[in-house]
Amino acid sequence: MASSPSFLLLAALLALVSWQAVASDPGPLQDFCVADMQSPVRVNGFVCKNPMEVNADDFFKAAALDKPRVTNKVGSNVTLINVMQIAGLNTLGISIARIDYAPLGQNPPHTHPRATEILTVLEGTLYVGFVTSNLPAPARNKFFSKVLNKGDVFVFPVGLIHFQFNPNPHQPAVAIATLSSQNPGAITIANAVFGSDPPISDDVLAKAFQVEKNTIDWLQAQFWENNHN
């Protein structure tokens, strides 16, 4: 039987490994690591800028998130502030977005492969939801949904397909989302499946969606617009 100190050390190591396995972004080992966008070195994230060259502007952006945005044909506009806009976010594991919704507009089904999202409604009403992964029957692909009003908050777990829809035909809606990654990524399902470059074989998609190939051809011919700025 392992001695008490050895057992405690093993338990600590296992806890550390499991924590790293579930974290969206690695935890920082210093006060900050401002991204050096000019460095030719490629790492998981960005190389740190010399801290002696860092200034307050590395942590700032005049983002005007209080201003409304023009929405696209799906009726939404996502203004994301991540490490690409604020270099000081590098290694800090967080980003923020303003989402504008036209009347009857939506942020279509999508996933964030590297982040959990918490959404707060600032104006209007939103119908939101997410779908679980391929769990064993009968729980597989369970759908959770909620109608949110001004001031309400909802969480979308990391990696799961989710959406937001403004059901009001007359009034726009606005939300702020915070995400647990410096660069959460976004995969809009329809865009990725039907708007990939080069396109996925229509034989593959016709079988996957159990429809005729001409339906897939029509979908692939559409213009799949990106609603992320």
Side-chain angles (χ1 to χ4, degrees), residues 127-131 143-146 154 156 161-164:
Y127 170 58
V128 307
F130 68 86
V131 181
F143 176 49
F144 294 87
S145 65
K146 192 77 175 175
F154 196 81
F156 303 105
I161 296 174
H162 60 282
F163 69 89
Q164 303 105 35

Side-chain angles (χ1 to χ4, degrees), residues 40-57:
V41 178
R42 294 291 176 261
V43 296
N44 184 23
F46 295 95
V47 173
C48 299
K49 186 176 178 180
N50 184 337
M52 300 305 295
E53 298 174 3
V54 170
N55 59 58
D57 286 339

Side-chain angles (χ1 to χ4, degrees), residues 102-210:
L104 300 180
Q106 66 170 296
N107 190 11
H110 62 283
T111 74
H112 301 295
R114 295 178 290 276
T116 292
E117 174 182 347
I118 183 166
L119 184 92
T120 303
V121 179
L122 300 184
E123 297 292 342
T125 300
L126 291 175
Y127 170 58
V128 307
F130 68 86
V131 181
T132 64
S133 55
N134 299 344
L135 301 172
R140 60 173 175 259
N141 303 127
K142 187 172 182 180
F143 176 49
F144 294 87
S145 65
K146 192 77 175 175
V147 174
L148 308 181
N149 297 304
K150 182 176 179 179
D152 289 345
V153 176
F154 196 81
V155 173
F156 303 105
V158 59
L160 298 186
I161 296 174
H162 60 282
F163 69 89
Q164 303 105 35
F165 171 69
N166 177 10
N168 192 316
H170 306 295
Q171 298 293 328
V174 181
I176 287 286
T178 52
L179 303 108
S180 61
S181 172
Q182 68 181 41
N183 187 19
I187 303 171
T188 304
I189 307 305
N191 298 39
V193 173
F194 301 114
S196 65
D197 183 18
I200 301 172
S201 165
D202 56 4
D203 289 317
V204 171
L205 295 181
K207 190 172 185 67
F209 287 92
Q210 298 293 288

Side-chain angles (χ1 to χ4, degrees), residues 26-92:
L29 300 176
Q30 52 213 359
D31 287 348
F32 53 78
C33 171
V34 173
D36 182 356
M37 301 298 186
Q38 307 305 315
S39 174
V41 178
R42 294 291 176 261
V43 296
N44 184 23
F46 295 95
V47 173
C48 299
K49 186 176 178 180
N50 184 337
M52 300 305 295
E53 298 174 3
V54 170
N55 59 58
D57 286 339
D58 290 312
F59 303 92
F60 169 80
K61 182 177 179 64
L65 290 187
D66 59 326
K67 306 297 183 186
R69 265 60 175 179
V70 175
T71 57
N72 69 359
K73 71 175 185 177
V74 297
S76 65
N77 186 307
V78 180
T79 304
L80 177 64
I81 307 298
N82 64 7
V83 69
M84 304 306 294
Q85 287 77 41
I86 300 181
L89 284 173
N90 193 38
T91 76
L92 297 186

